[in-house]
Amino acid sequence: MVRAYSQEHTYKHPWERVTAASWRKFSDPENKRTLSHIIDVDTLSHKLDRSSGKLYTTRAITVHAPGPWFLRKIIGQDICHCVESTVVDAQSRSMQLATRNISLQKFIEVEEKIRYDPHPENPNVWTICRQETRITIKPLSALATMAEKIEQKCVDKFQHNSAKGREVMERICKYLEAESRGISA
């Protein structure tokens, strides 16, 4: 069974500020409580392609991903390791993130894509964020009803965590806005 959803959010901040906030989202100590499901984030690689001006990064993200008690019993853990690949194109003002789990794949696959672009209606002041997430529960596909319920719980959790992430991004954007004006937040 596959469960997918997409959502859009408009940040009332310019692209440069939103993308700067995206880089700070996991490292800001104030966000530890809000993003408590994020255990660790490590940069594995980063490369600037001088000919295109694009920045490529890969990060490892460790997430506390609790599920129903019986699922934890089957899987034997509630920690998930993910890889996030990011491409930033400052010339076209685009930032694309693709995240997928690399652990627990025989039970569940999660793919998330996020894209930040200048908003078409107000490109110098607003940023549009488009997020697509796909969740597939594997061994329970034969038990369609149970798989659907578990996938829906996963979708609900991802949507809840996405809202937390947007809250953090807004807070960092406001901090960066104050910082750019020379005012401490």
Side-chain angles (χ1 to χ4, degrees):
M1 300 299 302
V2 176
R3 186 76 69 170
Y5 72 93
S6 61
Q7 54 188 355
E8 286 187 4
H9 178 74
T10 299
Y11 290 99
K12 305 272 174 141
H13 301 279
W15 180 84
E16 292 78 5
R17 185 176 302 139
V18 172
T19 55
S22 177
W23 290 116
R24 291 187 183 189
K25 179 168 65 173
F26 299 130
S27 62
D28 187 2
E30 284 186 43
N31 300 331
K32 293 290 184 191
R33 187 174 47 240
T34 306
L35 300 176
S36 59
H37 63 289
I38 304 295
I39 296 170
D40 199 18
V41 178
D42 292 303
T43 300
L44 302 176
S45 68
H46 56 90
K47 177 185 143 197
L48 177 62
D49 181 338
R50 296 194 188 282
S51 62
S52 68
K54 293 180 181 177
L55 174 65
Y56 298 88
T57 66
T58 303
R59 300 194 295 183
I61 302 173
T62 304
V63 180
H64 180 250
W69 66 269
F70 62 89
L71 194 58
R72 285 195 311 268
K73 209 70 158 147
I74 295 168
I75 295 172
Q77 68 184 67
D78 59 358
I79 301 297
C80 185
H81 301 283
C82 305
V83 173
E84 174 194 81
S85 301
T86 305
V87 178
V88 180
D89 185 344
Q91 280 186 321
S92 68
R93 297 173 74 206
S94 173
M95 180 178 192
Q96 299 176 51
L97 299 91
T99 307
R100 63 180 173 76
N101 63 306
I102 56 171
S103 66
L104 308 178
Q105 285 184 330
K106 64 182 179 180
F107 301 104
I108 184 171
E109 283 185 357
V110 178
E111 296 174 280
E112 178 185 48
K113 294 180 181 180
I114 299 175
R115 183 177 174 117
Y116 298 102
D117 293 297
H119 196 284
E121 293 175 21
N122 202 348
N124 294 320
V125 183
W126 296 349
T127 303
I128 189 156
C129 171
R130 293 181 178 97
Q131 177 185 12
E132 296 176 16
T133 305
R134 203 176 104 182
I135 300 167
T136 307
I137 304 293
K138 288 184 161 184
L140 302 177
S141 294
L143 305 170
T145 304
M146 183 182 284
E148 285 179 14
K149 287 179 182 178
I150 293 170
E151 286 170 345
Q152 187 58 51
K153 286 212 178 274
C154 290
V155 165
D156 294 345
K157 186 69 173 170
F158 268 82
Q159 288 177 327
H160 178 72
N161 288 341
S162 292
K164 288 181 184 180
R166 287 191 300 275
E167 176 187 321
V168 165
M169 290 285 289
E170 287 288 353
R171 185 172 41 246
I172 294 172
C173 283
K174 288 176 184 168
Y175 173 82
L176 290 170
E177 180 179 20
E179 188 179 75
S180 72
R181 291 184 180 158
I183 304 167
S184 62

